[in-house]
Structures are given as C-alpha cells and as structure tokens.
Amino acid sequence: MFFRPEAKAALWRWREVLMGAALAMLGVWWLASSTGLLGFVAPAVLVGAGALIMVGLQRGRFRGQGGGLGAVQVDEGQVTYFGPLSGGAIALREMSRLSLDGRQRPPHWQLEQSGQPPLMIPVDAEGADALFDAFAALPGLKTERMLARLKQMPDVPVVIWEREATGLSGMTPLGRA
C-alpha cells in the first residue's frame, strides 16, 4: 500500500490520537456486544482511550514538521542539541528558564541554565518532538499555555517557564504565559 509522504507525516504526527480512537471503538464494541468479562473490561478500555486521545492531542499540537537544522537528543534529564553552527547541552534539573523566541526563523526554544550561554533549539529540528516530555517534566509548567504560545508564534521572546529562588526552601517553579 502506498501513502504520500505528507499523509504518512500527518498520520505519524497524530498517532496517539488515532490509536486512542481505535481503542475507543474497540471499547464501545465490547461494551455494546459483550456480557461477560469483556463487558467489565470495556469501561477501563474507554477511560484509557480517552487519556490516550487527550495526551495525543497535546503531543500532536507540539510536534512540528521536522526537517529543520540540527538534531535534538533527550537522555536521562539532559537535553542536547547538535546544530550546524551551534549546539550544547542543558540538564533539566539545572534549567532556570524556558522561552520561545519567535524573532528567529524558524522560531527557537531558548533553554537557560546558570553559568552557561542559552541553548537555542529550532522548533523544527529533528527529534524536537522529544522536548514535549522533557518540558512536561518541569515542575509547574503549564502545558496548555506552552502549546498556545507555540501556536501563536509571538514576534518577541516569551517566557514559558522559569524557576525562582526562594530563600530556605530552594527552588520554586513559576509557570508564566
């Protein structure tokens, strides 16, 4: 079976949503047609399908087209960017600020850590979709705000998340729009 590359890319971008929809159809079928064990399992399958669809919608909105300059790798709490002109690595637990800089074309994620120059990652870099889970792990990050800003593509840098020092209690997250 032949699929155009654009169709394959669209299917792959929304893969969790499609799997969740298929799982939901299976759960509805089991619920409607079964009276035995499958009838008891079907509600749990429907709940799982709903969760998969919700997560898939967020990930699908985050994923770009890819094919941009450089490559991103996320490994054990460290984000590494290998670019043609720049690159670097940031430890997520040491990260102090995440911004989206729409002044550049394509827009770039700007990851900051004390004592290091900011790490600039194009939103369409290969492997940039792995940043969704990395960013979601930041304490206090508002995922929906991040996705809204990504969709708007502001013309100025926008702080998505930052960590503030608060005396004795250490670091406290602060989600910002």
Side-chain angles (χ1 to χ4, degrees):
M1 183 180 290
F2 176 75
F3 283 106
R4 291 189 343 223
E6 300 84 20
K8 273 186 182 178
L11 290 173
W12 189 247
R13 179 177 185 176
W14 298 102
R15 62 188 173 265
E16 293 93 351
V17 174
L18 296 171
M19 290 299 297
L23 197 58
M25 287 190 292
L26 180 65
V28 167
W29 182 51
W30 284 353
L31 192 62
S33 64
S34 297
T35 56
L37 180 62
L38 291 179
F40 289 113
V41 173
V45 169
L46 288 172
V47 169
L52 187 58
I53 289 170
M54 289 179 56
V55 169
L57 287 171
Q58 288 183 331
R59 287 176 184 242
R61 289 170 45 203
F62 184 84
R63 288 184 184 116
Q65 299 299 321
L69 295 176
V72 177
Q73 181 179 21
V74 179
D75 188 30
E76 295 187 16
Q78 180 168 302
V79 175
T80 306
Y81 173 63
F82 306 97
L85 302 175
S86 67
I90 296 268
L92 289 171
R93 63 177 156 45
E94 306 278 329
M95 198 164 99
S96 57
R97 179 180 290 163
L98 169 65
S99 303
L100 180 62
D101 188 350
R103 296 176 298 182
Q104 301 184 40
R105 295 293 173 236
H108 283 57
W109 294 110
Q110 180 174 322
L111 288 66
E112 297 178 35
Q113 179 178 335
S114 296
Q116 289 191 19
L119 179 60
M120 303 296 288
I121 302 173
V123 297
D124 65 350
E126 286 298 320
D129 56 337
L131 293 173
F132 180 82
D133 290 328
F135 295 163
L138 295 171
L141 179 99
K142 306 291 186 221
T143 306
E144 281 302 318
R145 285 186 190 172
M146 175 181 67
L147 294 171
R149 294 296 185 187
L150 186 59
K151 183 179 180 182
Q152 292 170 352
M153 289 297 180
D155 291 336
V156 296
V158 176
V159 174
I160 303 294
W161 175 88
E162 82 178 326
R163 196 184 302 254
E164 283 189 2
T166 59
L168 297 175
S169 66
M171 304 298 271
T172 304
L174 173 66
R176 291 196 177 166

